[in-house]
Amino acid sequence: MIDKMWLYPPLAFARLGPSPEPCENYRYGPNDLTPRGTGKTVVLPAPSLVVADDGTVTERAPQGNRVRFKDERGWRPICPFFEVHGSWVIDGVRDDGRITTEVLDAFGLTLADVRWKVEVANLKAHQCTRAEDDRIDATVEVAGNQHERRPLEGRSPQTAARPLVPPGRHVPLGSVQIPRPSAAFPELRLRFTPAAGLVYGPTNLLERTDRYPLPAEQLFLSPNSRWCEFRAAGNPDPRTAPSGLFAGASAQDGGVSFGLVDDVCDGLVTVTVGELTARARIVVTPPDFAPDRRPFTSLADGLTDRVKRAEVREPTYISENQQLTALEVRDLFERALEAMDSVNVDAQNQRATGENIDNAQDEGSPIAEARARTFPTPVPLAGITLALTERGRRKHRRFPALEVLEDLIREQPNFIQQFVRPPATEDRWYDRRMPVAVRGSDAFPMHLTRRQYDLLVAWARSVRANVQEGS
């Protein structure tokens, strides 16, 4: 019997794209850390699975040594697969791994006994208005032997009195397809394809503003919905922080929402085989404009912070995990360099300075002190317009070399505390600490996770301790 079942991956990210051709598969290779190298992660092509209209699966080898992220139609979407995994006992022998048609046969099951359900929603408008009528949901249920593509049609609740999406219309939120198992690919899978990355508006949008000249076929939302009446409450409204989260009229015109909705969504993928059920989560995001430039704080870092935060505070953690810690610290600074390469530091510093001045005016503190917290306008470098950005990149290029970091810690024992912003403080001022001038999702200056910061502090302490022991 199959006694356990799960979906892999438990969480997947799909990325919007108007091209009908999914993005080719790729993986990260070693960073280019040569003296004249980029210092960034190398993206390497990998074999891709191709699913035909009838569900037939074939494998396509990489075409050369490059990955094609765009074509003549635009961005190619990232379309993740979900595989069914489990553990079972056949003839007294326990095994685990991918559940295939052979495993189903062993228990007298067929593809028709496999049931899939995908539920996604776009709740951006609902999150602001709190009105159920502004929900946009889509659900598809399909058996394992049904291999045609099924669209996810986002609609407002049927009982809505003032539905955002009027009856008979829908916002396309992507599609799902069950690949047809074969001798070469016998696994049970579902593929999720996201939407094109379009924006939709109410029928009267062009009468209200000329800022968003959407085509007529994308103007079908109801102007009578609560979303088209939404007005931010207070300044800032926590539902719209950071500012500019939703498209609305100017403050002089009352700041009323224009009623725009995109085709991003997230939700659950559920598979049922017999009495067993497994679930995974799907999240749809914008295209990755810099796939070779990893963020210094990722979702994986956030999840690790939730479950492994305390371990780096143990007195013996660094000494017992020296090699792993060194790799983690170097990887963090490699990602910091990659993130630096994708940010216009001059523009961000200018924005941060402006926010500091606004904060100072709000609380009546000296504007000059607020302005001095961030970097002054730098002296231009020869032939380089973004001088602050270039200086930052040059400094960060040294840090992926762990020996350089260790020497820096020996020379400046409090380097981490002085130049890296501690996490989750009430300090809303932007300053010169890393990460420089980057705003977090909570509208405060962005910071590392608590685990990342504590790991850096503990690692720096161990570097200093080694110096003292050797002196």
Side-chain angles (χ1 to χ4, degrees), residues 71-103:
D71 55 31
E72 62 278 0
R73 295 286 296 274
W75 290 98
R76 291 183 169 184
I78 300 289
C79 307
F81 289 92
F82 292 90
E83 290 185 347
V84 186
H85 288 229
S87 62
W88 56 85
V89 177
I90 299 178
D91 297 332
V93 178
R94 174 167 293 280
D95 201 356
D96 61 69
R98 297 179 175 92
I99 294 181
T100 64
T101 50
E102 182 180 359
V103 175

Side-chain angles (χ1 to χ4, degrees), residues 275-466:
E275 297 181 355
L276 295 177
T277 296
R279 293 183 176 86
R281 182 166 288 278
I282 182 69
V283 179
V284 177
T285 72
D288 191 339
F289 295 104
D292 63 336
R293 302 178 189 184
R294 300 169 296 156
F296 52 84
T297 296
S298 66
L299 178 64
D301 292 314
L303 293 174
T304 303
D305 183 59
R306 291 291 185 93
V307 299
K308 294 184 178 181
R309 177 185 295 181
E311 68 178 9
V312 299
R313 300 178 184 175
E314 295 294 330
T316 60
Y317 178 82
I318 302 298
S319 60
E320 294 176 355
N321 299 276
Q322 291 183 356
Q323 185 175 8
L324 180 63
T325 299
L327 291 174
E328 190 168 351
V329 170
R330 188 178 72 177
D331 178 72
L332 175 58
F333 279 92
E334 287 175 359
R335 289 190 283 155
L337 171 62
E338 294 173 21
M340 175 67 70
D341 265 355
S342 61
V343 174
N344 183 333
V345 182
D346 293 75
Q348 291 295 333
N349 184 67
Q350 185 178 18
R351 176 196 55 77
T353 303
E355 290 196 19
N356 279 357
I357 293 173
D358 290 341
N359 290 339
Q361 292 174 333
D362 289 342
E363 67 177 34
S365 58
I367 292 178
E369 294 181 9
R371 188 191 302 274
R373 292 175 180 267
T374 54
F375 289 98
T377 302
V379 177
L381 298 173
I384 297 175
T385 304
L386 303 177
L388 190 59
T389 301
E390 181 60 24
R391 283 187 170 90
R393 291 173 181 174
R394 290 181 180 181
K395 288 186 177 181
H396 278 75
R397 283 193 61 142
R398 301 182 302 157
F399 294 153
L402 205 58
E403 295 82 359
V404 173
L405 274 174
E406 291 174 344
D407 287 343
L408 189 62
I409 295 300
R410 296 183 187 105
E411 296 169 1
Q412 303 181 49
N414 294 321
F415 177 83
I416 301 298
Q417 291 88 336
Q418 184 177 357
F419 292 105
V420 179
R421 182 178 296 110
T425 68
E426 294 298 321
D427 186 359
R428 62 175 180 169
W429 299 100
Y430 288 92
D431 52 34
R432 305 181 189 187
R433 290 176 294 181
M434 299 182 286
V436 172
V438 181
R439 178 162 53 186
S441 60
D442 58 357
F444 280 76
M446 194 172 183
H447 51 73
L448 302 178
T449 68
R450 170 54 66 182
R451 184 184 182 281
Q452 286 177 311
Y453 184 82
D454 288 349
L455 179 72
L456 284 178
V457 171
W459 171 79
R461 187 186 305 120
S462 72
V463 171
R464 298 194 301 271
N466 291 338

